[in-house]
Amino acid sequence: NPLNGSSIFDGAVNASSASQTNNQVILNATPVATVSAVLDNPDPNNGANVSWTVSFSTPIAGLSNSNFGLATAIGDASITSTTDQDGGTNWVVVVNTGTTDGNIGLNLTDGTTGLSHVITNAPFTGPVYTIDKTPSAITTTALSGDNSYLDVTFSEGVFNSGSVAVTGGDFILSIAGGTATSPVISSVRQPDNVLEGSASPLVGGETTVRVFFNYTGLADGAETLTLNPLDGSSIFDGAVNASSASQT
């Protein structure tokens, strides 16, 4: 409305009424959208960076790093970029994974600031990566009473590569002292039977494996067996960290 009856005039100096009837409009509603997210990389992961694709139900503008927060105990993990991929529907958020192991989740914590739309399901909790930068290591070895196998336990599940199980060729077995010589690994199997032919095959990802072997001569009890990965590119954990060829 005009401020009062003596504020606005026409060319003939007629004062406009302070009470008008054609002077109301309804504000347009702020557009809204919903958000979802998926992991872009393998999980678990040992990379320096990982990313999420964050998708909206309708294209938005104005999204930035500050709209997100990390759910992690990795102190030096950080969001490094938020990039529009296709005009506002899909965005890729890249995170530096820091220097230690742990979980990293990406959450949309602010669904309004700087955005062209209100994100109605914010705060949104996104999917989580397991960050694993520590290679698997042999934690225990146990010899059978008849010297026919070693039960070898790793700190985490192991593979030859990808999802493939380890084999005898991924290990090297040596002997020192005593009268027995020339140890040879015949197979690596599940630790579910003392008989080599009856033990189950490995499927990949086992933490304990049974290494069957034989040797030349008779053992006099003075021998020391040492089992190691064949080299630094033979045995891996689920995040593809290679086990050291030198174990303690």
Side-chain angles (χ1 to χ4, degrees):
N1 280 308
L3 176 63
N4 52 46
S6 58
S7 300
I8 299 175
F9 301 87
D10 63 14
V13 200
N14 297 299
S16 297
S17 170
S19 176
Q20 301 284 324
T21 56
N22 299 313
N23 59 341
Q24 292 183 335
V25 295
I26 297 174
L27 288 176
N28 295 317
T30 302
V32 298
T34 57
V35 64
S36 61
V38 295
L39 304 178
D40 294 336
N41 309 113
D43 180 52
N45 199 286
N46 67 351
N49 298 283
V50 292
S51 67
W52 289 253
T53 293
V54 179
S55 301
F56 295 90
S57 57
T58 191
I60 71 163
L63 190 68
S64 69
N65 294 358
S66 62
N67 294 110
F68 295 95
L70 296 180
T72 183
I74 301 175
D76 55 349
S78 62
I79 300 171
T80 59
S81 65
T82 300
T83 307
D84 181 8
Q85 300 299 297
D86 54 8
T89 300
N90 297 294
W91 300 69
V92 170
V93 181
V94 177
V95 169
N96 182 286
T97 59
T99 55
T100 60
D101 295 347
N103 296 329
I104 300 179
L106 180 73
N107 300 334
L108 183 75
T109 54
D110 183 348
T112 57
T113 302
L115 302 180
S116 61
H117 292 59
V118 172
I119 311 307
T120 56
N121 61 333
F124 170 77
T125 300
V128 175
Y129 281 104
T130 297
I131 304 302
D132 177 5
K133 301 187 178 187
T134 304
S136 62
I138 295 173
T139 57
T140 62
T141 53
L143 179 64
S144 65
D146 63 355
N147 294 338
S148 64
Y149 62 80
L150 282 167
D151 280 342
V152 183
T153 299
F154 289 85
S155 56
E156 56 187 312
V158 292
F159 303 85
N160 168 262
S161 63
S163 59
V164 179
V166 296
T167 69
D170 296 318
F171 296 91
I172 185 168
L173 183 62
S174 61
I175 194 168
T179 56
T181 61
S182 306
V184 176
I185 296 171
S186 53
S187 68
V188 182
R189 307 183 73 81
Q190 298 271 11
D192 57 3
N193 201 294
V194 298
L195 299 177
E196 182 173 7
S198 299
S200 301
L202 301 179
V203 296
E206 291 83 4
T207 55
T208 300
V209 298
R210 182 157 288 175
V211 179
F212 289 93
F213 68 96
N214 51 65
Y215 53 88
T216 301
L218 298 175
D220 64 5
E223 295 85 0
T224 298
L225 285 172
T226 301
L227 182 77
N228 278 308
L230 177 64
D231 53 37
S233 59
S234 296
I235 297 176
F236 303 86
D237 64 13
V240 202
N241 297 299
S243 297
S244 171
S246 178
Q247 301 281 325
T248 56

